[in-house]
Amino acid sequence: MLLFAIIQFGIAFNRSQAVHGAAREGARVASVQGTQTEACNRAIAALGDIAFVATPTCSWSGGCAANQDVVTVTVQAQTNLNIPFWPGSGNVDLVGVGEFRCENQRRAANANAVWLRQCLPSCWLRCWVWLRW
């Protein structure tokens, strides 16, 4: 029974890592101007042919299109933990969360504006020469 438990927990842990990886993949796609559909499709595709009890689901919050700095993708799946002669065997819910910072032009423009505000009062001549390049 101990051997079966070790094997089943190893399989469940492997699937848990796959769900976390899929959520990170979906968040990565969403952070580079992907849509919610693209992000969730990529997250579900990242799970490959792993057999789950039910079809995995995907949701997201935040988002670059909503002018927020962080996008979060959550993938939920359910796997079967089947240990012979163990009364507590059954389905286990797996949740993976991926969070990435949005990489878009608005962020770059804000970074340049902050740099100029800090630089101009103290070194206006060097900044002017740098901006002329």
Side-chain angles (χ1 to χ4, degrees):
M1 183 168 74
L2 182 62
L3 178 64
F4 288 121
I6 291 170
I7 291 170
Q8 283 295 312
F9 281 118
I11 291 170
F13 184 74
N14 182 22
R15 291 180 179 169
S16 174
Q17 291 298 312
V19 168
H20 284 286
R24 283 192 306 270
E25 178 67 16
R28 186 192 65 77
V29 169
S31 72
V32 290
Q33 299 297 328
T35 64
Q36 180 176 2
T37 304
E38 291 172 347
C40 284
N41 286 344
R42 181 73 67 91
I44 299 300
L47 290 173
D49 58 350
I50 298 173
F52 290 103
V53 174
T55 303
T57 60
C58 176
S59 63
W60 90 341
S61 62
C64 304
N67 290 329
Q68 295 182 357
D69 290 336
V70 176
V71 61
T72 304
V73 174
T74 304
V75 176
Q76 296 178 343
Q78 198 174 52
T79 189
N80 191 4
L81 191 62
N82 188 10
I83 303 169
F85 310 113
W86 185 292
S89 296
N91 294 336
V92 177
D93 294 326
L94 305 174
V95 178
V97 178
E99 185 174 285
F100 273 73
R101 186 182 72 201
C102 293
E103 300 294 334
N104 57 17
Q105 295 299 324
R106 184 178 59 82
R107 177 174 296 285
N110 287 344
N112 287 339
V114 168
W115 183 82
L116 286 174
R117 278 195 304 261
Q118 292 172 350
C119 181
L120 283 176
S122 62
C123 58
W124 63 271
L125 184 59
R126 282 186 284 179
C127 290
W128 181 77
V129 171
W130 180 81
L131 289 173
R132 300 270 301 169
W133 282 87

